[in-house]
Amino acid sequence: MTSDVQIPSAMPLYTDDDVVRVRAQVRQFAVEIGLSLVDQTKVVTAASELARNTLRHAGGGEARLQILQRENMRGLHLAFSDRGPGIADIGLAMTDGYTSGGGLGLGLGGAKRLVDEFELTTEVGKGTTVVIIKWKRF
Amino acid sequence: MEKIPILRIGKVLLVTIQVDMHDRLALALQEDLSERIVRDEANGVIIDISALDIVDSFIGRVLSNTAAVARILDAETIVVGMQPAVAITLVELGLNLTGVKTALNVELGMAMLSRRLRS
């Protein structure tokens, strides 16, 4: 069973500076739940990739950060959502090296490798939401 | 707009990144560095990232591109001081920093450059 121990904090993602702020807030939560330094680095890096995707591909959106409590486990739940063009071919978008935005094409696939859970929902013309979870290891 | 300072030591340019860079700042650094290589006739660039908590694909690409541009301008770039957690994350992310030479710290980076200059 998953229950939230904290009201999700929504952060706007419309500028480069917003991406920096989201990174800092994710770091703070990662420290708070006691993630190791490597896991902190991984989740902040994943958040940075996804926040930039939201900004570059959809023109902006928001990030929702939440600390999860599941029995004796704590985790960090991050959702990045936009009302952008959506993704027509998810398989292609997840492929390393494929890019529609002039980047390296490592954002989605790379972010997925850095976290424990990854879920992408998208609808063409409506928008995209990517949810990631990083659990604290005991 | 804020800028990242570039120091010159002989023919080497030294950049110490001490802030969490937003993307525009990283691109500005790349441009500033290429201009300074030409103006100062530098043949080496050391980028100290020991204060960086993360290197994501964007910053990684900026480092690779900076090294590539510097090479065309006849200067060698060495990225120094990467934290172990950052290195682990980079590899998992799938980023291999193509063409970027690395050293553990500024001193070792300087030694690498002076070996290159002697040969």
Side-chain angles (χ1 to χ4, degrees):
Chain A
M1 197 193 92
T2 301
S3 64
D4 308 333
V5 295
Q6 195 154 357
I7 310 264
S9 81
M11 304 180 72
L13 272 174
Y14 288 94
T15 67
D16 280 355
D17 291 324
D18 290 339
V19 176
V20 174
R21 274 190 282 275
V22 166
R23 284 202 290 254
Q25 187 63 52
V26 171
R27 172 75 65 174
Q28 195 186 316
F29 280 9
V31 170
E32 202 173 310
I33 67 166
L35 287 183
S36 71
L37 181 58
V38 170
D39 281 347
Q40 285 174 36
T41 308
K42 286 181 181 177
V43 74
V44 175
T45 305
S48 186
E49 299 293 338
L50 297 175
R52 184 178 295 104
N53 276 355
T54 301
L55 190 60
R56 296 280 182 271
H57 300 291
E62 66 170 25
R64 284 179 177 273
L65 285 50
Q66 205 169 346
I67 290 174
L68 301 178
Q69 184 84 44
R70 185 184 288 177
E71 287 157 16
N72 292 326
M73 282 165 74
R74 291 186 101 192
L76 197 48
H77 179 285
L78 311 176
F80 298 83
S81 39
D82 64 63
R83 294 171 191 279
I87 300 170
D89 187 338
I90 296 179
L92 185 61
M94 293 293 301
T95 306
D96 277 0
Y98 173 77
T99 175
S100 64
L104 287 176
L106 289 171
L108 280 179
K112 185 179 182 180
R113 283 192 292 276
L114 295 174
V115 297
D116 299 312
E117 294 178 36
F118 179 101
E119 189 180 48
L120 187 150
T121 17
T122 184
E123 197 176 333
V124 173
K126 293 274 177 64
T128 301
T129 296
V130 180
V131 173
I132 57 173
I133 301 177
K134 189 83 180 168
W135 293 106
K136 171 169 167 43
R137 295 175 201 291
F138 288 94
Chain B
M1 191 175 124
E2 54 181 325
K3 275 195 167 195
I4 295 174
I6 300 172
L7 306 176
R8 189 172 63 84
I9 305 165
K11 291 284 185 187
V12 174
L13 300 176
L14 174 63
V15 182
T16 304
I17 301 173
Q18 277 165 331
V19 292
D20 185 357
M21 288 190 292
H22 54 71
D23 293 359
R24 273 174 295 116
L25 187 57
L27 291 174
L29 173 64
Q30 186 182 331
E31 286 177 24
D32 287 351
L33 259 176
S34 43
E35 280 167 22
R36 285 288 298 272
I37 288 169
V38 172
R39 199 192 330 151
D40 295 347
E41 297 181 8
N43 45 31
V45 176
I46 291 185
I47 304 177
D48 182 0
I49 61 165
S50 55
L52 277 192
D53 290 333
I54 67 154
V55 172
D56 60 15
S57 64
F58 184 83
I59 298 298
R61 181 166 59 135
V62 168
L63 292 174
S64 286
N65 288 356
T66 301
V69 170
R71 196 172 310 115
I72 294 170
L73 298 173
D74 195 28
E76 181 137 20
T77 302
I78 300 182
V79 171
V80 307
M82 185 182 293
Q83 296 175 17
V86 173
I88 291 169
T89 302
L90 266 185
V91 170
E92 210 145 321
L93 189 61
L95 212 64
N96 48 19
L97 293 187
T98 312
V100 177
K101 289 197 168 60
T102 58
L104 290 182
N105 55 44
V106 173
E107 197 180 347
L108 292 170
M110 287 296 254
M112 264 173 94
L113 283 177
S114 51
R115 274 199 304 278
R116 180 214 183 213
L117 296 185
R118 272 199 302 271
S119 62

